[in-house]
Amino acid sequence: MRQIYLDHNATTPVRKEVLDAMMPYFSEEYGNASSVYSMGQKARQKIDESRELIGSALGTEAADIIFTSGGTESNNFAIKGVAMANLNKGRHVITSNIEHPAVLEPCRFIEKELGFDVTYLPVDKYGVVDLDELKDSIRKDTILISIMFANNETGTIQPIKEIAKIARGNKIYFHTDAAQVLGKLPIDVEELGVDLCSFSGHKVYGPKGIGALYLRKGVKIIPFQHGGHHERNKRAGTENVPGIVGFGKAVEIADRDMKKNDAHLKKLTKKMWEELSKELKEIYLNGHPENRLSSTLNISFRYIEGESMVLNFDMKGIYASTGSACTSGSLEPSHVLTAMGVPPDMAQGSVRFSFGYENTEEDVDYCLAEIPPIVEKLRKMSPLC
Ligand SMILES: Cc1ncc(COP(=O)(O)O)c(C=O)c1O
């Protein structure tokens, strides 16, 4: 049976070129980058090269890139680290209620353990934060704003440059979770004016368990992990050399192919949505109609459950999901769709299709042939219909 992977927002396959670049660093050039002899120094050199590649793809210096174990750690480091380092300035943080759990949970942690007040900004029906609400929620004791770059469930993109301007104008640090954006949209951290920015390797055809935090010079932050003097004393622990090498390679390729891939993804998702909405009644696109990642289609199918669609699609070799990998399996409707005002039954009936550069038009044709009969079959069985 054909297998069509449409869950690239959950994770991506490691590209062949990335794997090839990583392989020597497992059992041939396996030195510890802190060792002074040549094998160690070769590892150090490869780490430096990757840091350069990533820094230059992000419009910044290599020195501002700190390698972490992924998006979750980068977000935790940014939020808890800034909160702990700036207690004397204030205990108020602003975020939004559509963030990934890797931002929401650290925010809840600082509320509970450090006595912070966190404002969770609402969003409009497209999932966009209102800038006036943001301005109104700023207080004298606000030390950090953390708003994601693009949402993992809907792909909706936030006005990051404007938010950064508001934050800077009020002398508040601004962190953005760009895990879903790296390799898909150009990111120039200097031009955007962000202070901290989180990235993940496995969303960009790199390996799992590696990520990075962009940390602008001068940002007051307390390290999360203590030990050796790695990552300029900001993140102790022996470096994951193969992971770092793979991450660097993945970012280099994604940056090189970004325009081409974006045009390709736009074409695929446009066709999928247009044809599905012609074929099926009562289906709705969640997220911003244009200002959205080209790869992401989040669709609500009235009268049926997302979970049952995903299981039925799986039987036809189509891999999609009901939302973020971290929250799937929970019976609660998506917090992102709920925040956008999507009614509970429609939120429960949503499926996220997230495409990757390796998907083809034939994949879309296959989905267009298989999905409508599954939806019709489930609707016939539905007590809501
Ligand atoms: C927006 C966003 N932030 C953070 C993460 C977590 O990244 P990681 O899996 O690298 O910890 C993800 C992954 O699902 C994500 O989509």
Side-chain angles (χ1 to χ4, degrees), residues 12 25 38 40 46 57 70 84 107 113 145 178 181-182 195 220 234 238 247 252 258 273 278 295 305 317 354:
T12 56
Y25 300 94
S38 54
K46 287 306 288 187
M84 281 200 269
C107 283
E113 303 297 333
I145 297 173
V181 178
L182 185 61
D195 299 307
K220 263 182 85 186
K234 293 283 191 295
T238 300
F247 189 23
E252 183 186 21
M258 193 183 295
W273 169 244
K278 262 190 235 160
S295 56
E305 291 276 327
S354 47

Side-chain angles (χ1 to χ4, degrees), residues 71-99:
T72 302
E73 184 187 323
S74 298
N75 287 341
N76 271 269
F77 180 20
I79 293 165
K80 296 181 195 165
V82 167
M84 281 200 269
N86 293 278
L87 288 173
N88 61 336
K89 281 203 198 145
R91 297 190 189 214
H92 180 234
V93 167
I94 302 171
T95 186
S96 80
N97 52 17
I98 55 148
E99 300 294 315

Side-chain angles (χ1 to χ4, degrees), residues 265-297:
L265 291 166
K266 255 194 194 115
K267 201 166 144 198
L268 298 186
T269 49
K270 185 171 184 283
K271 178 170 174 175
M272 177 97 156
W273 169 244
E274 284 182 357
E275 297 297 320
L276 274 183
S277 54
K278 262 190 235 160
E279 194 72 26
L280 289 164
K281 289 199 188 79
E282 302 231 49
I283 69 169
Y284 304 90
L285 183 66
N286 296 312
H288 199 282
E290 287 105 35
N291 211 8
R292 210 178 68 237
L293 296 174
S294 313
S295 56
T296 308
L297 272 186

Side-chain angles (χ1 to χ4, degrees), residues 307-363:
E307 288 289 329
S308 48
M309 275 185 278
V310 165
L311 295 175
N312 277 268
F313 296 164
D314 182 22
M315 287 189 258
K316 294 289 180 186
I318 299 168
Y319 303 136
S321 76
T322 49
S324 86
C326 301
T327 46
S328 63
S330 109
L331 292 174
E332 293 292 308
S334 144
H335 72 284
V336 175
L337 300 183
T338 303
M340 289 159 55
V342 176
D345 61 320
M346 295 294 279
Q348 298 276 23
S350 74
V351 176
R352 177 187 71 185
F353 302 96
S354 47
F355 290 72
Y357 78 91
E358 74 282 17
N359 289 126
T360 61
E361 269 205 75
E362 289 75 52
D363 291 346

